[in-house]
């Protein structure tokens, strides 16, 4: 099979290497240009190391990008983590068109933060979809889907790196084989089940200690490692990563005010919320690196009664 890899970052690199490892021809690699001062993209570096034709067009709408893909004469386009818009004039160039990876069970959780939101909302299942890209965001017909569980304590990092990443690489190979062999089926997405979710960024990741402890815990899990759920301490931003929750069973268990540090533990500190407590175990202060919460307690002088979020 002769393919073009259109992608970015470690996932794009892994997909490219998977096709090469089984003997397919990667005729060219399309990578979005890096922003000024940014590190070189891992997919770009891997393509250069292997001596593969590399293209970094600022837009796939331009004739120069489309001409470059056309000249490669590939069987299939493989879109693996693509943030640049790819119009139909581009994706339809390969002999068998193009397939794209998306880390949710489309049509649910269309959008750029589709791994964060299922965890934040407390879902117990998610998955991935290989589909045909159209001009609508994540709206094209589905070729293949795989489901995975979301454990009650799993973070975004756990779900992506341990499940959706490796399973997604294999799904791309499987879908490519089906499409090139003409054995695939394309299922139109059910719009009645569709949802669009925008970015989960700093504003969305802010902790409101007045929310229920379940909501807060899910937010921390769904933002770990990025963008990092956060609160404030003494007016400065404090990101919270690893954490545990405990639920109040009776009124007599309620301790402290909302947002108050109620206990210093061997691994960090506990903060009161509606319905329970969050035990914070790893943090990143505004002016520092990630450290264990136990280290941070000593460095920041946190004591029982310290208030967060004020």
């Amino acid at each position: 099979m002769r393919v073009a890899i259109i992608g970015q970052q470690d996932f794009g690199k892994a997909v490219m290497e998977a096709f090469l490892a089984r003997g397919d021809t990667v005729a060219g690699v399309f990578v979005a240009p890096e922003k000024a001062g940014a590190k070189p993209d891992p997919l770009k570096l891997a393509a250069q190391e292997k001596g593969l034709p590399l293209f970094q067009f600022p837009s796939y709408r331009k004739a120069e990008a489309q001409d470059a893909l056309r000249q490669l004469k590939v069987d299939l386009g493989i879109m693996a983590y693509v943030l640049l818009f790819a119009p139909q004039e581009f994706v339809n160039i390969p002999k068998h068109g193009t397939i794209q990876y998306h880390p949710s069970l489309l049509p649910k959780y269309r959008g750029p933060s589709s791994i964060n939101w299922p965890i934040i909302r407390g879902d117990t299942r998610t998955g991935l979809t290989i589909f045909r890209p159209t001009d609508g965001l994540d709206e094209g017909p589905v070729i293949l889907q795989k489901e995975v569980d979301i454990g009650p304590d799993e973070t975004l990092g756990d779900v992506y790196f341990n499940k959706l990443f490796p399973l997604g690489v294999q799904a791309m190979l499987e879908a490519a084989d089906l499409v090139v062999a003409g054995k695939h089926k394309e299922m139109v997405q059910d719009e009645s089940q569709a949802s669009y979710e925008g970015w989960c960024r700093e504003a969305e990741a802010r902790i409101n200690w007045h929310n229920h402890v379940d909501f807060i815990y899910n937010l921390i899990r769904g933002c770990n490692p990025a963008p990092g759920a956060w609160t404030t301490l003494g007016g400065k931003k404090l990101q919270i990563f690893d954490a545990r929750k405990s639920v109040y069973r009776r009124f007599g268990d309620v301790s402290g005010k909302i947002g108050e540090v109620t206990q210093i533990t061997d691994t960090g500190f506990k903060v009161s919320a509606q319905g329970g407590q969050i035990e914070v175990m790893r943090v990143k202060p505004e002016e520092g690196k990630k450290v264990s919460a136990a280290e941070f307690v000593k460095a920041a002088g946190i004591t029982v009664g310290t208030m967060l979020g004020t």
Side-chain angles (χ1 to χ4, degrees), residues 209-210 256-261 271-274 305-310:
W209 294 105
H210 289 271
K257 302 174 184 177
I258 297 296
E260 182 180 358
V261 174
V271 185
S272 187
Q274 291 288 4
T306 297
M307 296 296 297
L308 300 181
T310 58

Side-chain angles (χ1 to χ4, degrees), residues 16-38:
M16 180 193 74
E17 291 175 341
F19 277 95
L20 289 172
R22 67 176 200 169
D24 293 309
T25 298
V26 176
V29 177
F30 292 76
V31 181
E34 298 93 340
K35 294 181 180 179

Side-chain angles (χ1 to χ4, degrees), residues 39-202:
K39 294 180 180 179
D41 189 286
L43 174 56
K44 172 184 176 179
L45 293 178
Q48 289 175 326
E49 289 171 3
K50 297 179 186 304
L52 300 174
L54 177 68
F55 306 94
Q56 285 193 287
F57 297 107
S59 171
Y60 297 138
R61 292 185 175 97
K62 303 293 185 181
E64 57 180 356
Q66 296 169 24
D67 289 342
L69 180 57
R70 191 173 293 110
Q71 290 170 13
L72 295 178
K73 296 184 177 359
V74 296
D75 298 309
L76 193 64
I78 307 294
M79 291 179 66
Y81 186 62
V82 179
L83 296 181
L84 283 180
F85 173 70
Q88 292 299 282
E89 294 82 7
F90 182 82
V91 301
N92 287 336
I93 289 171
K95 181 179 179 181
H96 297 281
T98 297
I99 60 175
Q100 183 172 359
Y101 166 86
H102 182 75
S104 85
L105 294 172
L106 292 174
K108 197 171 184 182
Y109 297 114
R110 293 169 174 167
S113 294
S114 55
I115 312 174
N116 306 76
W117 293 116
I119 301 172
I120 291 170
R121 291 180 59 174
D123 291 0
T124 59
R125 299 281 288 172
T126 188
L128 62 90
T129 302
I130 311 299
F131 70 105
R132 291 286 198 186
T134 63
D135 286 350
L137 180 64
D138 304 328
E139 296 175 16
V142 171
I143 294 170
L144 188 78
Q145 291 189 314
K146 306 282 186 180
E147 293 190 20
V148 300
D149 291 325
I150 302 175
D153 299 308
E154 286 187 320
T155 65
L156 180 147
D158 295 327
V159 173
Y160 181 59
F161 291 112
N162 298 338
K163 297 178 179 180
L164 296 179
F165 187 117
L167 192 61
V169 173
Q170 294 305 310
M172 289 296 265
L173 297 176
E174 182 180 345
D177 288 341
L178 290 171
V179 171
V180 171
K183 296 180 179 179
H184 71 295
K185 294 181 180 179
E186 298 187 16
M187 181 179 67
V188 176
Q189 295 186 32
D190 181 354
E191 288 298 317
S192 70
Q193 301 300 311
S195 67
Y196 169 75
E197 315 292 342
W199 284 102
C200 177
R201 290 174 167 162
E202 182 177 7

